[in-house]
Coordinates of all heavy atoms in Angstrom, one line a residue:
M97 N -8.6 142.1 26.7 CA -9.8 142.8 27.1 C -9.6 143.6 28.4 O -8.7 143.1 29.2 CB -10.9 141.7 27.4 CG -11.4 141.0 26.2 SD -13.2 140.7 26.3 CE -13.3 139.9 24.7
H98 N -10.3 144.5 28.8 CA -10.4 145.2 30.0 C -11.4 144.9 30.9 O -12.5 144.5 30.6 CB -10.4 146.8 29.7 CG -9.3 147.2 28.8 ND1 -8.0 147.3 29.2 CD2 -9.4 147.6 27.5 CE1 -7.4 147.8 28.2 NE2 -8.1 148.1 27.2
I99 N -11.1 144.8 32.3 CA -12.1 144.6 33.2 C -13.0 145.7 33.3 O -12.6 146.9 33.4 CB -11.5 144.3 34.6 CG1 -10.6 143.1 34.6 CG2 -12.5 144.2 35.6 CD1 -9.7 142.9 35.8
G100 N -14.3 145.5 33.1 CA -15.3 146.5 33.2 C -15.9 146.6 34.7 O -15.7 145.6 35.5
R101 N -16.6 147.6 35.0 CA -17.2 147.8 36.3 C -18.7 147.4 35.9 O -19.4 148.3 35.4 CB -17.1 149.1 36.9 CG -17.7 149.1 38.3 CD -17.2 150.1 39.3 NE -17.7 149.8 40.5 CZ -17.0 149.2 41.5 NH1 -15.9 148.5 41.3 NH2 -17.6 149.0 42.7
I102 N -19.3 146.2 36.2 CA -20.6 145.9 35.9 C -21.6 146.6 36.7 O -21.4 147.0 37.8 CB -20.7 144.3 36.0 CG1 -22.1 143.9 35.4 CG2 -20.8 143.9 37.5 CD1 -22.1 142.4 35.1
K103 N -22.7 147.0 36.1 CA -23.8 147.7 36.7 C -24.3 147.0 37.9 O -24.3 145.8 38.0 CB -25.0 147.9 35.8 CG -26.1 148.8 36.3 CD -27.2 148.9 35.2 CE -28.4 149.7 35.7 NZ -29.2 149.1 36.7
D104 N -24.5 147.7 39.0 CA -24.9 147.1 40.2 C -24.0 146.2 41.0 O -24.3 145.2 41.5 CB -26.3 146.4 40.2 CG -27.5 147.4 39.7 OD1 -27.4 148.6 40.1 OD2 -28.4 147.0 38.9
T105 N -22.7 146.5 40.8 CA -21.6 145.7 41.4 C -21.9 145.5 42.9 O -22.3 146.5 43.6 CB -20.3 146.5 41.2 OG1 -19.9 146.5 39.9 CG2 -19.2 145.7 42.0
T106 N -21.7 144.3 43.4 CA -22.0 144.0 44.8 C -20.7 143.8 45.6 O -20.7 143.9 46.7 CB -22.9 142.8 45.0 OG1 -22.4 141.6 44.2 CG2 -24.3 143.0 44.5
R107 N -19.6 143.4 44.9 CA -18.3 143.2 45.6 C -17.2 143.2 44.4 O -17.4 143.0 43.3 CB -18.3 142.0 46.3 CG -18.6 140.7 45.7 CD -18.9 139.6 46.7 NE -19.4 138.4 46.0 CZ -18.8 137.2 46.0 NH1 -17.7 136.9 46.6 NH2 -19.4 136.3 45.3
V108 N -16.0 143.3 44.9 CA -14.8 143.1 44.1 C -13.9 142.0 44.7 O -13.6 141.9 46.0 CB -14.0 144.4 44.1 CG1 -12.7 144.3 43.3 CG2 -14.8 145.6 43.6
I109 N -13.5 141.0 43.9 CA -12.8 139.9 44.3 C -11.3 139.9 43.7 O -11.1 140.6 42.7 CB -13.4 138.6 44.0 CG1 -13.6 138.4 42.4 CG2 -14.7 138.5 44.7 CD1 -14.1 137.0 42.1
G110 N -10.4 139.2 44.4 CA -9.2 139.0 43.8 C -8.0 140.0 44.3 O -6.8 139.7 44.1
Q111 N -8.4 141.1 44.8 CA -7.2 142.0 45.1 C -6.3 141.6 46.1 O -5.1 141.8 46.1 CB -7.9 143.4 45.5 CG -8.5 144.2 44.3 CD -9.2 145.4 44.8 OE1 -10.0 145.4 45.8 NE2 -9.0 146.5 44.1
R112 N -6.8 140.9 47.1 CA -6.0 140.3 48.3 C -4.9 139.3 47.8 O -3.9 139.1 48.4 CB -6.8 139.8 49.5 CG -7.5 140.8 50.3 CD -8.1 140.3 51.5 NE -9.4 141.0 51.7 CZ -10.5 140.4 52.3 NH1 -10.4 139.2 52.6 NH2 -11.6 141.0 52.3
Q113 N -5.4 138.7 46.7 CA -4.5 137.6 46.1 C -3.5 138.2 45.1 O -2.7 137.5 44.6 CB -5.3 136.5 45.4 CG -6.1 135.7 46.3 CD -7.4 136.3 46.7 OE1 -7.9 137.3 46.1 NE2 -8.1 135.8 47.8
G114 N -3.6 139.5 44.9 CA -2.5 140.2 44.1 C -3.1 140.5 42.7 O -2.3 141.0 41.9
Y115 N -4.3 140.2 42.4 CA -4.9 140.5 41.1 C -5.3 141.9 41.0 O -5.4 142.6 42.0 CB -6.0 139.5 40.8 CG -5.6 138.1 40.6 CD1 -5.8 137.3 41.6 CD2 -4.8 137.7 39.5 CE1 -5.4 135.9 41.6 CE2 -4.6 136.3 39.3 CZ -4.7 135.4 40.4 OH -4.4 134.2 40.3
L116 N -5.7 142.5 39.9 CA -6.2 143.8 39.7 C -7.4 144.1 40.6 O -7.7 145.2 41.0 CB -6.5 144.2 38.3 CG -5.3 144.3 37.3 CD1 -5.8 144.4 36.0 CD2 -4.3 145.3 37.8
G117 N -8.3 143.1 40.7 CA -9.6 143.2 41.4 C -10.7 143.0 40.4 O -10.6 143.6 39.2
L118 N -11.5 142.2 40.6 CA -12.7 141.9 39.5 C -14.1 142.4 40.2 O -14.6 141.6 41.0 CB -12.8 140.6 39.2 CG -13.8 140.0 38.1 CD1 -13.6 140.8 36.8 CD2 -13.6 138.5 38.0
P119 N -14.7 143.4 39.8 CA -15.9 143.8 40.2 C -17.0 142.8 39.7 O -16.9 142.4 38.5 CB -16.3 145.2 39.5 CG -14.9 145.6 39.1 CD -14.0 144.4 38.9
L120 N -17.8 142.3 40.6 CA -18.8 141.4 40.1 C -20.2 141.8 40.8 O -20.3 142.5 41.8 CB -18.4 140.0 40.4 CG -18.2 139.5 41.9 CD1 -19.5 139.2 42.6 CD2 -17.3 138.3 41.9
R121 N -21.3 141.2 40.2 CA -22.6 141.3 40.6 C -23.1 140.0 41.0 O -23.1 139.1 40.2 CB -23.4 142.0 39.5 CG -24.9 142.0 39.7 CD -25.6 142.8 38.6 NE -25.5 142.1 37.2 CZ -25.5 142.7 36.2 NH1 -25.8 144.1 36.0 NH2 -25.4 142.1 35.0
D122 N -23.6 139.9 42.3 CA -24.2 138.6 42.7 C -25.6 138.7 42.3 O -26.3 139.6 42.5 CB -24.0 138.6 44.3 CG -22.6 138.4 44.7 OD1 -22.1 137.3 44.4 OD2 -22.1 139.3 45.4
I123 N -26.1 137.6 41.7 CA -27.4 137.5 41.3 C -27.9 136.1 41.7 O -27.3 135.1 42.2 CB -27.6 137.7 39.7 CG1 -26.9 136.6 38.9 CG2 -27.2 139.0 39.4 CD1 -27.2 136.6 37.4
T124 N -29.3 135.8 41.4 CA -29.8 134.4 41.4 C -30.5 134.3 40.1 O -31.1 135.2 39.5 CB -30.8 134.3 42.6 OG1 -31.8 135.2 42.5 CG2 -30.1 134.4 44.0
I125 N -30.5 133.0 39.6 CA -31.1 132.7 38.3 C -32.0 131.4 38.6 O -31.8 130.7 39.6 CB -30.1 132.4 37.2 CG1 -29.1 131.2 37.6 CG2 -29.2 133.6 36.9 CD1 -28.2 130.8 36.5
D126 N -32.8 131.2 37.7 CA -33.7 130.0 37.6 C -33.0 129.0 36.7 O -32.9 129.2 35.5 CB -35.1 130.2 37.2 CG -35.9 131.0 38.3 OD1 -35.6 131.0 39.5 OD2 -36.8 131.7 37.9
C127 N -32.3 128.0 37.2 CA -31.4 127.2 36.4 C -32.1 125.8 36.2 O -32.6 125.3 37.2 CB -30.0 126.9 37.3 SG -28.9 125.7 36.5
S128 N -32.0 125.3 35.0 CA -32.7 124.0 34.7 C -32.1 122.9 35.3 O -32.8 121.8 35.5 CB -32.7 123.8 33.1 OG -31.5 123.8 32.7
V129 N -30.8 123.0 35.8 CA -30.1 121.9 36.5 C -30.2 122.1 38.0 O -30.5 121.1 38.7 CB -28.7 121.8 36.0 CG1 -27.9 120.7 36.8 CG2 -28.6 121.5 34.5
N130 N -29.8 123.2 38.5 CA -29.6 123.5 39.9 C -30.9 124.1 40.6 O -31.0 124.2 41.8 CB -28.5 124.4 40.2 CG -27.2 123.8 39.8 OD1 -26.9 122.6 40.3 ND2 -26.4 124.4 38.9
G131 N -32.0 124.4 39.8 CA -33.2 124.9 40.4 C -33.4 126.3 40.5 O -32.5 127.1 40.1
P132 N -34.5 126.8 41.0 CA -34.8 128.2 41.2 C -33.8 128.8 42.2 O -33.4 128.2 43.0 CB -36.2 128.3 41.6 CG -36.5 126.9 42.2 CD -35.6 126.0 41.5
R133 N -33.5 130.1 42.0 CA -32.9 131.0 42.9 C -31.4 130.4 43.1 O -30.8 130.4 44.2 CB -33.6 131.1 44.2 CG -34.9 131.7 44.1 CD -35.5 132.7 44.9 NE -34.6 133.6 45.7 CZ -34.1 134.8 45.3 NH1 -34.6 135.3 44.3 NH2 -33.5 135.6 46.1
T134 N -30.8 129.8 42.0 CA -29.4 129.5 42.1 C -28.4 130.7 42.1 O -28.6 131.5 41.2 CB -29.1 128.6 40.8 OG1 -29.9 127.3 40.8 CG2 -27.6 128.2 40.8
P135 N -27.6 130.7 43.0 CA -26.7 131.8 43.1 C -25.7 131.8 41.9 O -25.3 130.8 41.4 CB -25.9 131.7 44.4 CG -26.2 130.3 44.9 CD -27.3 129.8 44.1
A136 N -25.4 133.0 41.4 CA -24.5 133.2 40.3 C -23.8 134.5 40.4 O -24.2 135.4 41.2 CB -25.3 133.2 38.9
M137 N -22.7 134.7 39.6 CA -21.9 136.0 39.7 C -21.8 136.4 38.2 O -21.6 135.5 37.3 CB -20.5 135.8 40.3 CG -20.6 135.3 41.7 SD -18.9 134.9 42.3 CE -18.7 133.3 41.6
E138 N -21.9 137.7 37.9 CA -21.6 138.2 36.6 C -20.5 139.3 36.8 O -20.5 140.0 37.7 CB -22.9 138.8 36.1 CG -24.0 137.9 35.9 CD -25.2 138.5 35.2 OE1 -25.5 139.6 35.6 OE2 -26.0 137.7 34.6
T139 N -19.7 139.2 35.6 CA -18.6 140.3 35.5 C -18.8 140.9 34.1 O -19.4 140.4 33.2 CB -17.2 139.7 35.6 OG1 -17.1 138.6 34.7 CG2 -17.0 139.1 37.0
A140 N -18.1 142.0 33.9 CA -18.1 142.7 32.6 C -16.8 142.8 32.1 O -15.8 143.1 32.8 CB -18.8 144.2 32.8
W141 N -16.5 142.6 30.8 CA -15.4 142.6 30.1 C -15.5 143.5 28.8 O -16.4 143.4 28.1 CB -14.9 141.3 29.6 CG -14.7 140.4 30.9 CD1 -15.5 139.6 31.6 CD2 -13.4 140.3 31.6 NE1 -14.9 139.0 32.7 CE2 -13.6 139.6 32.7 CE3 -12.2 140.9 31.5 CZ2 -12.7 139.3 33.7 CZ3 -11.2 140.7 32.3 CH2 -11.4 139.8 33.4
L142 N -14.6 144.4 28.6 CA -14.7 145.5 27.5 C -13.6 145.2 26.5 O -12.4 145.3 26.8 CB -14.6 146.8 28.1 CG -15.5 147.2 29.2 CD1 -15.3 148.4 29.8 CD2 -17.0 147.1 28.6
P143 N -13.9 144.6 25.3 CA -12.9 144.4 24.3 C -12.3 145.7 23.7 O -13.0 146.7 23.7 CB -13.7 143.6 23.2 CG -15.1 144.0 23.4 CD -15.3 144.4 24.9
T144 N -11.0 145.6 23.5 CA -10.3 146.7 22.9 C -10.7 146.8 21.4 O -11.3 145.8 20.8 CB -8.8 146.5 22.9 OG1 -8.5 145.3 22.0 CG2 -8.3 146.4 24.3
P145 N -10.5 148.0 20.7 CA -10.8 148.0 19.2 C -10.2 146.9 18.6 O -10.8 146.5 17.5 CB -10.3 149.4 19.0 CG -10.4 150.3 20.2 CD -10.0 149.2 21.3
E146 N -8.9 146.6 18.8 CA -8.3 145.6 18.0 C -9.0 144.2 18.2 O -9.1 143.4 17.4 CB -6.8 145.4 18.5 CG -6.0 146.6 18.3 CD -6.1 147.9 19.2 OE1 -6.6 147.6 20.2 OE2 -5.7 148.9 18.8
E147 N -9.5 144.0 19.6 CA -10.1 142.7 19.8 C -11.5 142.7 19.0 O -11.9 141.7 18.5 CB -10.3 142.5 21.2 CG -9.0 142.1 22.0 CD -9.1 142.2 23.4 OE1 -9.8 143.1 24.0 OE2 -8.4 141.4 24.1
I148 N -12.2 143.8 19.0 CA -13.4 143.9 18.3 C -13.2 143.6 16.8 O -14.0 142.8 16.3 CB -14.1 145.3 18.5 CG1 -14.5 145.5 20.0 CG2 -15.3 145.5 17.5 CD1 -14.9 146.9 20.4
A149 N -12.3 144.2 16.2 CA -11.9 143.9 14.8 C -11.7 142.4 14.6 O -12.0 141.8 13.6 CB -10.7 144.8 14.3
A150 N -10.8 141.7 15.5 CA -10.6 140.4 15.3 C -11.9 139.5 15.4 O -12.1 138.5 14.7 CB -9.5 139.9 16.4
I151 N -12.8 139.8 16.5 CA -14.0 139.2 16.5 C -14.8 139.3 15.3 O -15.4 138.3 14.7 CB -14.8 139.7 17.7 CG1 -14.0 139.2 19.0 CG2 -16.3 139.1 17.8 CD1 -14.5 140.1 20.3
V152 N -14.9 140.5 14.7 CA -15.6 140.7 13.4 C -15.0 139.8 12.4 O -15.8 139.4 11.5 CB -15.6 142.2 13.1 CG1 -16.2 142.4 11.6 CG2 -16.4 143.1 14.0
C153 N -13.7 139.7 12.3 CA -13.1 138.7 11.3 C -13.2 137.2 11.7 O -12.7 136.4 11.0 CB -11.6 139.1 11.2 SG -11.5 140.7 10.5
G154 N -13.9 136.9 12.8 CA -14.1 135.5 13.1 C -13.4 134.9 14.2 O -13.5 133.7 14.5
A155 N -12.5 135.7 14.9 CA -11.8 135.2 16.0 C -12.7 134.8 17.1 O -13.8 135.5 17.4 CB -10.7 136.3 16.4
P156 N -12.4 133.8 17.8 CA -13.3 133.4 18.9 C -13.1 134.2 20.2 O -12.0 134.9 20.4 CB -12.8 131.9 19.2 CG -11.4 131.8 18.8 CD -11.3 132.8 17.7
V157 N -14.0 134.3 21.1 CA -13.8 134.8 22.4 C -13.4 133.6 23.3 O -14.1 132.6 23.3 CB -15.1 135.5 23.0 CG1 -14.9 135.9 24.4 CG2 -15.5 136.5 22.1
V158 N -12.2 133.7 23.9 CA -11.7 132.6 24.8 C -11.9 132.8 26.3 O -11.6 133.9 26.6 CB -10.2 132.4 24.5 CG1 -9.6 131.2 25.3 CG2 -9.9 132.0 23.0
L159 N -12.4 131.9 26.9 CA -12.7 132.0 28.4 C -11.5 131.1 29.1 O -11.4 129.9 28.8 CB -14.0 131.5 28.8 CG -14.3 131.3 30.3 CD1 -14.3 132.7 31.0 CD2 -15.6 130.6 30.5
R160 N -10.6 131.7 29.8 CA -9.5 131.0 30.5 C -10.0 130.8 32.0 O -10.3 131.8 32.7 CB -8.3 131.7 30.4 CG -7.1 131.0 31.2 CD -5.8 131.7 31.0 NE -5.4 131.5 29.7 CZ -4.4 132.3 29.1 NH1 -3.9 133.2 29.7 NH2 -4.1 131.9 27.8
I161 N -9.9 129.6 32.4 CA -10.2 129.3 34.0 C -8.9 128.7 34.4 O -8.3 127.8 34.0 CB -11.3 128.2 34.0 CG1 -12.6 128.5 33.2 CG2 -11.6 127.8 35.5 CD1 -13.4 129.6 33.8
L162 N -8.5 129.4 35.6 CA -7.2 129.0 36.3 C -7.6 127.7 37.1 O -8.7 127.5 37.7 CB -6.8 130.0 37.3 CG -6.5 131.4 36.6 CD1 -5.9 132.4 37.7 CD2 -5.4 131.2 35.6
G163 N -6.6 126.8 37.1 CA -6.8 125.6 37.8 C -7.2 124.4 37.1 O -7.0 124.5 35.7
N164 N -7.7 123.3 37.6 CA -8.2 122.2 36.7 C -9.4 121.6 36.9 O -9.7 120.5 36.6 CB -7.0 121.1 36.9 CG -6.8 120.6 38.3 OD1 -7.7 121.0 39.3 ND2 -5.9 119.8 38.7
Q165 N -10.3 122.4 37.6 CA -11.7 122.2 37.7 C -12.4 123.3 37.0 O -12.2 124.4 37.2 CB -12.2 122.1 39.2 CG -11.4 121.2 40.1 CD -11.9 119.7 39.8 OE1 -13.0 119.4 39.3 NE2 -11.0 118.7 40.0
H166 N -13.4 122.8 36.1 CA -14.1 123.8 35.3 C -15.6 123.9 35.8 O -16.4 123.0 35.7 CB -14.2 123.4 33.9 CG -14.5 124.5 33.0 ND1 -15.6 125.3 32.9 CD2 -13.9 124.9 31.8 CE1 -15.6 126.1 32.1 NE2 -14.5 126.0 31.3
P167 N -15.8 125.1 36.4 CA -17.2 125.3 36.8 C -18.2 125.6 35.7 O -17.6 126.0 34.6 CB -17.1 126.6 37.8 CG -15.9 127.3 37.1 CD -15.0 126.2 36.7
P168 N -19.4 125.5 35.9 CA -20.4 125.9 34.9 C -20.3 127.4 34.5 O -20.2 128.2 35.5 CB -21.8 125.6 35.4 CG -21.5 124.7 36.5 CD -20.1 124.9 37.0
V169 N -20.2 127.7 33.3 CA -20.1 129.1 32.9 C -20.9 129.5 31.7 O -21.3 128.6 31.0 CB -18.6 129.6 32.6 CG1 -17.7 129.4 33.7 CG2 -18.1 128.8 31.3
A170 N -21.2 130.8 31.6 CA -21.8 131.2 30.3 C -21.2 132.5 29.8 O -20.9 133.4 30.7 CB -23.3 131.5 30.6
V171 N -21.0 132.7 28.6 CA -20.5 133.9 28.0 C -21.6 134.4 27.1 O -22.2 133.7 26.2 CB -19.2 133.6 27.3 CG1 -18.6 134.9 26.5 CG2 -18.1 133.1 28.1
Y172 N -21.9 135.7 27.3 CA -22.9 136.3 26.3 C -22.6 137.9 26.2 O -21.7 138.3 27.0 CB -24.2 136.1 26.9 CG -24.5 136.8 28.3 CD1 -25.2 138.0 28.4 CD2 -24.2 136.1 29.5 CE1 -25.3 138.6 29.6 CE2 -24.4 136.6 30.7 CZ -25.0 137.9 30.9 OH -25.2 138.5 32.1
V173 N -23.3 138.5 25.4 CA -23.1 139.9 25.2 C -24.2 140.7 26.0 O -25.4 140.4 25.9 CB -23.3 140.3 23.6 CG1 -23.3 141.8 23.5 CG2 -22.2 139.7 22.8
G174 N -23.6 141.6 26.7 CA -24.6 142.4 27.6 C -25.3 143.5 26.8 O -25.2 143.5 25.6
D175 N -25.9 144.4 27.5 CA -26.7 145.5 26.9 C -25.8 146.5 26.4 O -24.7 146.7 26.9 CB -27.5 146.1 28.0 CG -28.7 145.1 28.5 OD1 -29.1 144.3 27.8 OD2 -29.1 145.3 29.6
I176 N -26.3 147.2 25.3 CA -25.5 148.3 24.7 C -25.6 149.4 25.7 O -26.7 149.8 26.3 CB -26.2 148.7 23.4 CG1 -26.0 147.5 22.4 CG2 -25.5 150.0 22.9 CD1 -26.8 147.8 21.2
P177 N -24.4 150.1 26.1 CA -24.4 151.2 27.0 C -25.3 152.4 26.5 O -25.3 152.7 25.2 CB -23.1 151.6 27.1 CG -22.2 150.5 26.6 CD -23.2 149.8 25.6
R178 N -26.0 153.0 27.5 CA -26.8 154.2 27.1 C -25.8 155.4 26.8 O -24.8 155.5 27.5 CB -27.8 154.6 28.2 CG -28.9 153.6 28.2 CD -29.9 154.0 29.4 NE -29.8 155.4 29.7 CZ -30.5 155.8 30.8 NH1 -31.4 155.1 31.5 NH2 -30.5 157.0 31.1
Q179 N -26.1 156.2 25.9 CA -25.4 157.4 25.5 C -25.9 158.6 26.1 O -26.7 159.3 25.4 CB -25.2 157.5 24.0 CG -24.5 156.3 23.4 CD -23.1 156.1 23.8 OE1 -22.3 157.1 24.0 NE2 -22.8 154.8 23.9
D180 N -25.7 158.9 27.4 CA -26.3 160.1 28.1 C -25.5 161.3 28.0 O -24.3 161.3 27.9 CB -26.5 159.7 29.6 CG -27.6 158.6 29.8 OD1 -28.4 158.4 28.9 OD2 -27.3 157.9 30.8

């Protein structure tokens, strides 16, 4: 997958640590566990044509977290890009 530039990016993280840099959007959500206005971050990932084909054939989308503590996460499909 390729790193995407999410709409309304608020910052880019990871470059100082030697990574490519991950554009993210800071948001707040109403969380059933942590309450209203819970801070969250969103990033965009763009699958390659080969990855799309594998997903269509039933391959899973895998989320890798570095380290040994797993934060709460959610993986979902974003909006279809507008064709302007």
Side-chain angles (χ1 to χ4, degrees):
M97 292 220 184
H98 300 287
I99 297 170
R101 183 152 192 97
I102 195 160
K103 183 180 182 291
D104 300 325
T105 296
T106 52
R107 59 191 167 118
V108 178
I109 62 171
Q111 287 176 314
R112 287 189 220 152
Q113 292 81 14
Y115 296 100
L116 293 175
L118 181 60
L120 62 83
R121 173 174 59 207
D122 292 293
I123 63 166
T124 57
I125 61 170
D126 292 332
C127 177
S128 62
V129 175
N130 295 306
R133 306 220 24 97
T134 298
M137 300 174 285
E138 295 182 331
T139 60
W141 296 88
L142 307 171
T144 65
E146 295 80 15
E147 289 168 326
I148 292 170
I151 292 166
V152 168
C153 290
V157 174
V158 176
L159 173 67
R160 178 177 290 161
I161 305 293
L162 299 181
N164 58 11
Q165 299 288 331
H166 198 308
V169 299
V171 177
Y172 63 95
V173 176
D175 295 332
I176 297 171
R178 289 181 21 185
Q179 301 296 320
D180 295 332

